[in-house]
């Protein structure tokens, strides 16, 4: 079942990417998923997913990123955090991390990379209402290098949608 985001967002999907059904793409908890058909290789097509949740707890973005590493470790090993850095500003904090891991896809172990971007959005009228949106690029090493610019453009286009945007 496809997930939902607690707040509406808008974004632009880069050229060459195609929206798909998260269930069919193996990401049932995602609110959105897209693939890059031009990157297809046996057992591997690069994809972008979006998910998010209310996070009124005191967990930092680093804590939340560590939770993601733990979740991946349940299905793939070893998981290496190759890079992690804070992004954004005090008003709109973010965190990015690049993970390397091996996962079994169609019975074959495949090396995969994930770039995960966490965006924290706080309701200005009720600071207890914090939403964390996660944007993820998953690809094999070759696809990852080729499509990272697309992913960065995608991340740069993400905005919370206001009623004025409708």
């Amino acid at each position: 079942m496809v997930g939902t985001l607690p707040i509406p967002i808008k974004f632009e999907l880069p050229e060459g990417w195609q929206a798909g059904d998260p269930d069919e793409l193996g990401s049932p908890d995602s609110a959105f998923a897209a693939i890059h058909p031009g990157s297809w290789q046996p057992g591997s097509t690069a994809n972008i997913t979006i998910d998010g949740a209310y996070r009124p707890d005191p967990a930092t973005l680093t804590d939340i990123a560590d939770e993601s590493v733990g979740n991946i470790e349940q299905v793939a090993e070893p998981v290496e955090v190759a890079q992690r850095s804070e992004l954004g500003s005090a008003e709109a904090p973010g965190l990015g991390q690049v993970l390397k891991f091996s996962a079994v896809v169609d019975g074959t172990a495949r090396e995969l990379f994930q770039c995960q971007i966490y965006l924290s959005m706080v309701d200005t009228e009720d600071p207890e209402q914090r939403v964390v949106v996660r944007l993820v690029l998953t690809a094999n090493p070759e696809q990852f290098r080729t499509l990272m610019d697309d992913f960065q453009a995608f991340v740069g286009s993400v905005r919370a949608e206001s009623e004025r945007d409708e």
Side-chain angles (χ1 to χ4, degrees), residues 10-17 48 50 115 117 119 135 137 144 146-159:
K10 62 181 182 174
F11 54 85
E12 292 180 31
L13 202 54
E15 189 174 325
W17 289 85
I48 291 174
I50 302 173
C115 182
I117 303 294
L119 304 175
L135 315 169
L137 168 67
F144 191 81
T146 303
L147 297 172
M148 195 58 190
D149 287 344
D150 281 2
F151 185 63
Q152 289 173 335
F154 168 75
V155 170
S157 77
V158 174
R159 302 279 182 272

Side-chain angles (χ1 to χ4, degrees), residues 27-145:
S27 190
D29 295 331
S30 295
F32 176 82
I35 61 168
H36 189 272
S39 72
W40 182 88
Q41 296 176 2
S44 180
T45 303
N47 66 75
I48 291 174
T49 58
I50 302 173
D51 61 38
Y54 278 109
R55 291 299 301 247
D57 61 326
T60 65
L61 291 178
T62 299
D63 295 337
I64 295 167
D66 286 341
E67 289 173 10
S68 290
V69 171
N71 291 338
I72 293 172
E73 286 176 332
Q74 293 178 18
V75 296
E77 287 196 33
V79 178
E80 174 190 343
V81 179
Q83 181 182 351
R84 184 179 279 175
S85 58
E86 292 183 11
L87 313 166
S89 63
E91 298 79 33
L95 183 127
Q97 70 180 4
V98 174
L99 307 177
K100 297 179 185 180
F101 55 93
S102 181
V104 176
V105 179
D106 295 331
T108 302
R110 307 239 185 245
E111 183 179 5
L112 295 173
F113 281 46
Q114 258 191 13
C115 182
Q116 300 179 339
I117 303 294
Y118 296 86
L119 304 175
S120 181
M121 300 175 185
V122 177
D123 186 328
T124 55
E125 294 177 19
D126 184 0
E128 296 295 316
Q129 295 298 318
R130 174 179 68 147
V131 170
V132 176
V133 174
R134 181 175 65 159
L135 315 169
V136 180
L137 168 67
T138 304
N140 71 33
E142 179 184 323
Q143 296 163 336
F144 191 81
R145 284 186 290 277

Side-chain angles (χ1 to χ4, degrees), residues 2-3 20-33:
V2 175
D21 182 314
D23 283 329
E24 291 177 14
L25 297 176
S27 190
D29 295 331
S30 295
F32 176 82

